[in-house]
Amino acid sequence: MVDTMANSTLQDLPPLPSYTLASRPSMIPGVPDIVCQLLAPVIAYWVVSGFFHILDVFDVCAKYRLHTPAEVLKRNHVTRWEVFRDVVLQQIIQTVFGLAVAYFDPEETVGREEFDVTLWAYRLRHVQQYVPSLLAIIGLDAQAMGGKLQNYPQLAAALCGGTYGPQAFAPWEMSTAKFIYWIGIPGVQFTVAILIVDTWQYFLHRAMHMNKFLYTTLHSRHHRLYVPYAYGALYNHPIEGFMLDTLGTGIAYLVTGMTIRQGMWFFTCSTIKTVDDHCGYAFPWDPLQHITSNNAAYHDVHHQSWGIKTNFSQPFFTFWDRILNTAWTGGDVSARYQRDRIAAQRKVDADLASSQASVVNSPEIDMENAQQQTRSSQKQVLENQDGARVIAEEAREEQEVKQSLRRSTRRKSGFDAKAFSDRMAGTLHGRSPAILHAD
């Protein structure tokens, strides 16, 4: 296909080049680009989360952990297998949706890149025609200024309205046109897409917390992870996963008019950022945790019972939390984290003591691994300088709960629904009423 666009109003410039369109060749021979677009985020998800999982398993970089292994074991209300299963289900839904969108997309072509770059050079020349008028508004004579800049002919020509030699673009015009086409426009597309995703996810995420039906039916599943870890980033109800992640990024991709390859990078970067926000580590050298204030530490507050109505922003920036006053404002959270660590550690210690007393010689229990995990958790707890004070507070609070329960038992001889509920909660979740109270 050859473009025959008229240029009767641009007689002093080179004509727009003709072009012939052809199908875009695949990045990987034999593999369609749409397949790469759909597989790249999935591969990135498991590679990045696998890296963090290895850190967890081998207890590497423990000093940067937001939570101890004991908390992962005792505070979460879902097994790792259930998390893995639901994440795979969501990725299948994402892939099917992506294939459906690709089916209706027109075939991508190449061949008009030179034409588009030249068209931007034409636009730059047109913009220069208004420079003398704009300078005149503030009392400057463009012709006089151009005469004083004879040593800088391109600058002088731009100030005088783009008076260059006939049938030629200035070198700076072509360089600027190439920058706009190859870097500027994609940069704007990515920026707008990020703003769309952040806006979509903030308001939908916030609605799922404010609306009781949406929270109990959909979003509460994600909050079974009180202690997030990397491959739990996409652990959601399938409907929520489609609405929040798949549909949000899909709309951003379509609205901004990205190519398939641009979409591949955008989806992959969004996936890596989401995994990093749930990784459970606060690294000083992780660029994703410092480019914006939305990082693992920021989002982890939202997963705690005391911060669940704050820090809704995800996955990139936090501007909506700041604008609408939903960012955490409770000050330093180190004491709160320490109390949760101690409560979980006590539970692990109690379980370990019980196992040693009842099945000391059982070959099915890896006592060495359990003790190593205990020591790792204890080290993190004791490293905090406020550890002694927090332990005392925790012990006092637990004692008050026990006394309250004893007084309640003495007062009531009949059926106590609340005490029964507390006991059932402790049984079902493997947690005592005191630990539930601490959360």
Side-chain angles (χ1 to χ4, degrees):
M1 173 182 175
V2 178
D3 190 278
T4 59
M5 178 179 178
N7 60 347
S8 58
T9 61
L10 303 172
Q11 296 298 329
D12 58 333
L13 293 175
L16 288 169
S18 61
Y19 62 87
T20 301
L21 295 178
S23 297
R24 182 188 294 275
S26 301
M27 290 187 301
I28 302 176
V31 181
D33 281 355
I34 185 61
V35 174
C36 295
Q37 184 198 69
L38 297 175
L39 289 182
V42 176
I43 294 172
Y45 185 93
W46 292 110
V47 169
V48 177
S49 62
F51 166 76
F52 285 112
H53 185 65
I54 290 173
L55 297 185
D56 289 343
V57 170
F58 293 98
D59 200 29
V60 181
C61 299
K63 67 178 181 179
Y64 298 118
R65 269 183 172 172
L66 296 172
H67 298 279
T68 63
E71 289 182 276
V72 177
L73 182 65
K74 291 302 178 183
R75 295 188 61 215
N76 284 339
H77 296 172
V78 60
T79 66
R80 287 185 178 268
W81 161 248
E82 291 172 314
V83 171
F84 174 81
R85 178 198 63 196
D86 284 13
V87 169
V88 170
L89 175 60
Q90 179 166 335
Q91 290 177 333
I92 291 173
I93 294 173
Q94 285 180 343
T95 303
V96 172
F97 178 75
L99 289 173
V101 171
Y103 179 80
F104 295 100
D105 276 348
E107 181 185 18
E108 288 193 350
T109 57
V110 294
R112 62 170 287 165
E113 291 80 7
E114 184 182 357
F115 174 90
D116 289 330
V117 169
T118 305
L119 188 58
W120 275 106
Y122 269 70
R123 292 166 179 163
L124 289 171
R125 179 64 63 89
H126 278 303
V127 169
Q128 293 173 70
Q129 295 176 359
Y130 297 99
V131 172
S133 299
L134 293 173
L135 291 175
I137 293 175
I138 58 176
L140 297 177
D141 186 341
Q143 296 297 329
M145 293 178 64
K148 296 178 180 180
L149 296 171
Q150 294 180 357
N151 293 331
Y152 305 95
Q154 293 191 41
L155 177 58
L159 291 174
C160 293
T163 55
Y164 303 91
Q167 296 291 311
F169 286 109
W172 78 267
E173 288 178 311
M174 291 304 298
S175 299
T176 305
K178 291 178 181 178
F179 177 85
I180 291 173
Y181 181 77
W182 293 109
I183 298 177
I185 294 176
V188 170
Q189 288 174 303
F190 271 76
T191 301
V192 173
I194 285 172
L195 295 177
I196 291 174
V197 169
D198 276 356
T199 301
W200 177 275
Q201 294 216 0
Y202 173 85
F203 285 100
L204 187 56
H205 184 197
R206 183 175 177 178
M208 288 186 175
H209 277 276
M210 300 307 171
N211 184 282
K212 184 177 180 181
F213 173 80
L214 291 177
Y215 183 81
T216 56
T217 307
L218 301 177
H219 192 56
S220 60
R221 178 178 296 197
H222 184 66
H223 279 276
R224 293 174 184 174
L225 288 176
Y226 282 87
V227 182
Y229 44 82
Y231 73 82
L234 292 183
Y235 172 67
N236 294 308
H237 190 285
I239 295 177
E240 179 195 348
F242 175 78
M243 293 172 59
L244 196 64
D245 299 308
T246 306
L247 201 56
T249 52
I251 290 174
Y253 166 68
L254 295 174
V255 168
T256 55
M258 290 183 178
T259 65
I260 291 177
R261 296 183 185 182
Q262 287 176 316
M264 179 190 71
W265 285 109
F266 177 66
F267 297 148
T268 302
C269 291
S270 299
T271 297
I272 293 174
K273 184 66 170 66
T274 300
V275 171
D276 195 75
D277 288 348
H278 290 81
C279 70
Y281 290 84
F283 290 127
W285 38 262
D286 183 350
L288 292 179
Q289 297 192 11
H290 300 285
I291 292 175
T292 74
S293 55
N294 199 346
N295 49 38
Y298 183 89
H299 188 68
D300 191 84
V301 170
H302 175 74
H303 274 263
Q304 308 311 306
S305 58
W306 38 266
I308 199 169
K309 292 297 180 70
T310 64
N311 293 13
F312 296 117
S313 292
Q314 57 183 31
F316 294 103
F317 296 94
T318 63
F319 58 90
W320 282 119
D321 273 327
R322 296 196 303 271
I323 293 172
L324 299 178
N325 297 319
T326 53
W328 170 258
T329 57
D332 183 36
V333 298
S334 57
R336 294 175 183 269
Y337 274 89
Q338 190 72 351
R339 292 174 63 183
D340 290 338
R341 291 170 183 166
I342 293 169
Q345 186 60 50
R346 285 178 173 175
K347 190 65 178 177
V348 169
D349 292 341
D351 289 352
L352 185 61
S354 176
S355 299
Q356 289 174 328
S358 58
V359 283
V360 174
N361 298 318
S362 173
E364 299 179 0
I365 297 179
D366 188 349
M367 299 302 295
E368 181 179 354
N369 182 58
Q371 291 171 347
Q372 181 180 358
Q373 185 183 62
T374 299
R375 287 193 295 269
S376 176
S377 296
Q378 287 174 334
K379 181 180 178 182
Q380 283 186 259
V381 170
L382 294 175
E383 282 179 351
N384 192 293
Q385 61 181 358
D386 295 327
R389 178 178 58 81
V390 174
I391 290 174
E393 290 180 1
E394 184 72 19
R396 183 171 61 255
E397 188 171 297
E398 187 170 340
Q399 185 63 29
E400 290 174 356
V401 172
K402 290 179 179 179
Q403 291 175 354
S404 176
L405 289 174
R406 284 197 293 270
R407 288 196 298 269
S408 176
T409 303
R410 288 195 297 269
R411 286 197 303 267
K412 298 181 180 180
S413 58
F415 175 75
D416 186 343
K418 183 179 185 305
F420 178 78
S421 174
D422 285 345
R423 286 193 295 272
M424 285 300 295
T427 302
L428 290 174
H429 300 307
R431 307 168 71 186
S432 71
I435 294 176
L436 286 169
H437 176 74
D439 279 347

